[in-house]
Amino acid sequence: MKYITLLLIAMMLFSCKTPEARQPESVKSGSFYKESAERNKKLNERERTKIEAIMAQNPEYDYVASNSGFWYRYHTKVEIDTIAVGFGDVVNFNYEVKDLNGNTIYSEKELGNQTYIMDQQEVFTGLREGLKLMKPTETVTFLFPSQKAYGYYGDKNRIGTNIPLIVKVTVNSITQKNNN
């Protein structure tokens, strides 16, 4: 009995040890990020080449490069100075989505009439930036590289990973937010 008591006391004294931090098994400082950046640069270059080929095949259209990294052309352009969309304005529009081969992913009929409150609701980055360039009654075709479309994740439905898109948009109306 005496030995069991001594054993229990010894176990209690030596079991009270502070936890030690575990060391990582391998350290590769920044290599993941460097590799990811290189992959993204190559992907961006491939997509840019495809988009430039589409523009070259259609020399009758005057494509404009946006400051945001996509291209667009007007079907219907409003030359007079009218309402420009701003934060909180309600934009009513229709659009269709195609891949770079011209295959329809979502038709205008399928998507229906859309209402979007500028910068307060979720739409993909390129569409949000494209709507800011448009005026009521304009129709524009946008060529979006994948990072301006749905990027790595896709739309979790029909648009897969890293798919560049052709999106034709018609703005029906813009209702400006009342600034009270």
Side-chain angles (χ1 to χ4, degrees):
M1 185 75 165
K2 191 175 178 181
Y3 292 113
I4 294 176
T5 308
L6 285 174
L7 182 63
L8 287 175
I9 291 173
M11 284 177 50
M12 287 185 358
L13 287 175
F14 292 111
S15 67
C16 296
K17 183 179 172 185
T18 60
E20 292 181 20
R22 295 185 295 160
Q23 297 298 318
E25 292 180 15
S26 65
V27 177
K28 294 182 181 178
S29 62
S31 65
F32 171 78
Y33 297 110
K34 289 176 187 173
E35 291 169 9
S36 180
E38 280 304 311
R39 276 192 309 272
N40 287 336
K41 285 178 185 177
K42 289 176 183 174
L43 173 67
N44 192 348
E45 188 58 37
R46 280 193 309 266
E47 291 177 1
R48 182 184 187 96
T49 301
K50 288 179 185 176
I51 290 171
E52 287 173 347
I54 290 171
M55 292 186 294
Q57 291 169 358
N58 298 292
E60 67 274 17
Y61 301 126
D62 186 25
Y63 284 93
V64 179
S66 75
N67 293 333
S68 300
F70 59 85
W71 295 263
Y72 61 99
R73 72 173 180 92
Y74 287 94
H75 295 267
T76 307
K77 183 173 177 146
V78 174
E79 297 293 340
I80 59 171
D81 195 20
T82 71
I83 300 171
V85 69
F87 179 82
D89 292 350
V90 178
V91 181
N92 180 279
F93 65 97
N94 294 51
Y95 73 115
E96 68 180 3
V97 180
K98 296 180 179 183
D99 63 18
L100 291 187
N101 295 323
N103 302 315
T104 301
I105 299 172
Y106 293 108
S107 70
E108 185 175 338
K109 182 179 178 184
E110 182 180 4
L111 292 170
N113 202 5
Q114 301 286 314
T115 301
Y116 169 66
I117 301 173
M118 186 55 68
D119 295 328
Q120 294 182 356
Q121 289 178 292
E122 289 295 319
V123 295
F124 67 90
T125 304
L127 182 57
R128 182 179 65 244
E129 293 170 357
L131 287 170
K132 289 178 182 178
L133 299 172
M134 297 180 70
K135 298 175 185 171
T137 71
E138 286 186 331
T139 301
V140 176
T141 294
F142 296 97
L143 303 173
F144 295 121
S146 64
Q147 72 269 17
K148 288 294 177 181
Y150 288 93
Y152 179 76
Y153 295 102
D155 74 343
K156 308 225 187 288
N157 193 5
R158 295 185 202 163
I159 300 172
T161 299
N162 296 324
I163 303 295
L165 300 174
I166 299 172
V167 180
K168 184 177 178 183
V169 180
T170 300
V171 171
N172 303 316
S173 65
I174 298 172
T175 306
Q176 291 188 308
K177 177 183 174 183
N178 293 334
N179 295 327
N180 294 336

